[in-house]
Amino acid sequence: MNPIIFDKNSIYNIIKKKNPHIVDEIKEQVKELELVKNPKLLTKMPFVEQGASLYDTIWVYYPWRNTLVHCLKEKDFKLLRTSRNQNLVTKKEQKKIERIRVGIAGLNVGNPGALCLALEGDIKMKLADNDVLSLSNLNRFRAGLPDLGLNKAVLTARQIYEINPFAGLEIFEKGISDENIEKFLLKPKLDVLIEEMDNLPLKIKIRELARKNRIPVIMVTGSGPDVIIDVERFDKEPSLPLMSGYLKKEVISGIKRGPGTFSEKMKLARNFMGIKYLHPRLIASFELVGSKLAGIPQIAESSFLRGASIAYFVRQIAQGEKIKSGRYYLKLSDVQRSKKP
C-alpha cells in the first residue's frame, strides 16, 4: 500500500472519513528551503520568511499510520531533503546516483542498505523478500513490536515512503523464485543487484543470470562485529567467476546437487563464504545450529555497518568510480587507535 498524495482542496474528505493524525510543519520546511536556495540569508538571521502560501504544497496520507502530513511538492521536497548531502556528494554525483535502479533481494540484511540508499537520494528500488518480521529479528532489524508479522519487503517500503513519499519502489513480497527472477532482474533491468538471500540455489542462479546480463552484484555479510563485502563487476567482467572466485566449484556443485541433511546445509551455508574468512565465533556457531542454537547469529552493529557498506559501494558504482571486483573488509574488531596529536 502506497502513500496517497492530495492537494489542499482534496484533504477534507480524508479528514472527515478517517480522522487522521495531522502533521503540519510546512512553515519550517519553507524556512529551510529558503535558506537552501539562498544560503547568504544565514548571515542575516533572523530573516523575514516568504511564507508557505507562496509555495505549492501537498498533503501525504499514510494509511498504515492513519497520518496526514503537509509537505513541499516533489521538486522542492527533493531539493531540501538532499541538501545536506552537499558537498560530500556533489550535485552532479547526486544526479548520477538517482539515475540508477537497484534491486535488493533479501531484506533482512538488505533493509539497512535500502534505508541508507533512500536517505541519500531518490533511488529507484526493487525490494524482494517472502519472510515476515519476527521477534528474534529485533536484535538487529530497525523496526518495532507493532511491525511483527509484516512482510519485510512491505515493511522496508513503508519505511522508505515515510522518508520520501515520491520514492519509486516495486515490491516482490513473495520473494525471488524461478518464476519471477527474470522479471526482478530485467523488467526493467537493474543497474546494481544487492544479493542477500538465504536460499543457496537462488543465490547461485541469480548470480549466473546477473553475469549473463552484465549486472554488477554486491553482497555484504556480517562476521561477528565485522563486515565482508563481495563485489562482482559483471558489467565490466562478464567472464568473472562467481563471487570473484571465492566461491569454490565444489561448493557450487554441492548447492546445485542439493544438501542431503540439515548438517550438510549448514556446512554449505558456511562454506559459501569460505570458512577461513569468518569470525571464529561465527564458525563455531554454525556447528551449534540445530542443537544449541536456533539460527545463525547476527548482531545490530554489523547490521548497520552492512547497510552503510551497501550504500557506499552502490554510490561508487553509480558515480563511475573504479571499484574492482573482489572481497573487501570492514573490521570493528581491528579498530586502530589514533596516535597522539
Side-chain angles (χ1 to χ4, degrees), residues 15 66 75 103 147 151 166 212 215 287 317:
I15 292 173
N66 192 28
K75 184 178 179 181
D147 301 312
N151 175 272
F166 309 104
K212 180 181 177 181
I215 299 170
E287 301 288 338
I317 290 173

Side-chain angles (χ1 to χ4, degrees), residues 58-272:
I58 58 167
W59 290 83
V60 182
Y61 177 64
Y62 292 97
W64 55 90
R65 282 184 176 267
N66 192 28
T67 297
L68 190 64
V69 183
H70 197 184
C71 72
L72 297 164
K73 275 196 168 181
E74 185 172 6
K75 184 178 179 181
D76 286 333
F77 175 90
K78 182 176 175 181
L79 173 64
L80 176 56
R81 198 186 70 80
T82 60
S83 62
R84 294 297 289 271
N85 286 355
Q86 298 171 29
N87 276 332
L88 294 175
V89 180
T90 67
K91 290 182 179 180
K92 184 178 180 180
E93 289 169 340
Q94 190 77 41
K95 288 180 180 178
K96 287 182 178 180
I97 296 167
E98 294 178 354
R99 281 200 291 263
I100 67 168
R101 187 181 307 276
V102 177
I104 305 180
L107 273 305
N108 191 21
V109 173
N111 172 271
L115 296 183
C116 279
L117 289 170
L119 286 165
E120 290 194 357
D122 186 12
I123 298 170
K124 296 178 286 293
M125 285 187 257
K126 296 183 184 182
L127 307 172
D129 203 310
N130 65 347
D131 195 17
V132 299
L133 186 75
S134 64
L135 186 57
S136 65
N137 295 142
L138 293 185
N139 75 322
R140 62 194 183 279
F141 202 105
R142 197 196 71 80
L145 291 176
D147 301 312
L148 292 178
L150 189 62
N151 175 272
K152 290 176 182 176
V154 173
L155 173 56
T156 302
R158 288 183 179 183
Q159 291 172 334
I160 291 171
Y161 281 132
E162 290 181 10
I163 295 166
N164 174 15
F166 309 104
L169 304 178
E170 188 174 356
I171 303 167
F172 291 69
E173 59 184 292
K174 293 184 179 180
I176 300 298
S177 64
D178 291 336
E179 289 72 31
N180 69 8
I181 192 168
E182 288 197 7
K183 180 182 179 183
F184 181 78
L185 278 180
L186 303 173
K187 299 177 182 179
K189 184 180 177 182
L190 299 179
D191 296 294
V192 183
L193 167 66
I194 311 300
E195 191 286 297
E196 300 291 351
M197 295 183 289
D198 295 329
N199 185 301
L200 294 176
L202 281 176
K203 290 173 84 72
I204 300 294
K205 184 170 184 176
I206 203 167
R207 275 178 172 76
E208 291 175 337
L209 191 57
R211 180 170 60 184
K212 180 181 177 181
N213 291 279
R214 304 188 71 159
I215 299 170
V217 179
I218 297 169
M219 185 180 79
V220 182
T221 305
S223 181
D226 304 330
V227 171
I228 302 169
I229 306 106
D230 283 286
V231 178
E232 297 159 275
R233 294 301 304 267
F234 295 132
D235 55 327
K236 304 292 185 183
E237 302 172 78
S239 300
L240 183 74
L242 298 188
M243 297 279 286
S244 306
Y246 284 92
L247 183 58
K248 301 305 180 185
K249 290 182 179 179
E250 58 267 25
V251 178
I252 296 174
S253 298
I255 291 171
K256 289 186 173 182
R257 186 171 57 249
T261 65
F262 181 81
S263 176
E264 289 173 355
K265 182 180 178 181
M266 285 296 101
K267 287 180 180 177
L268 284 173
R270 179 197 66 192
N271 294 340
F272 192 91

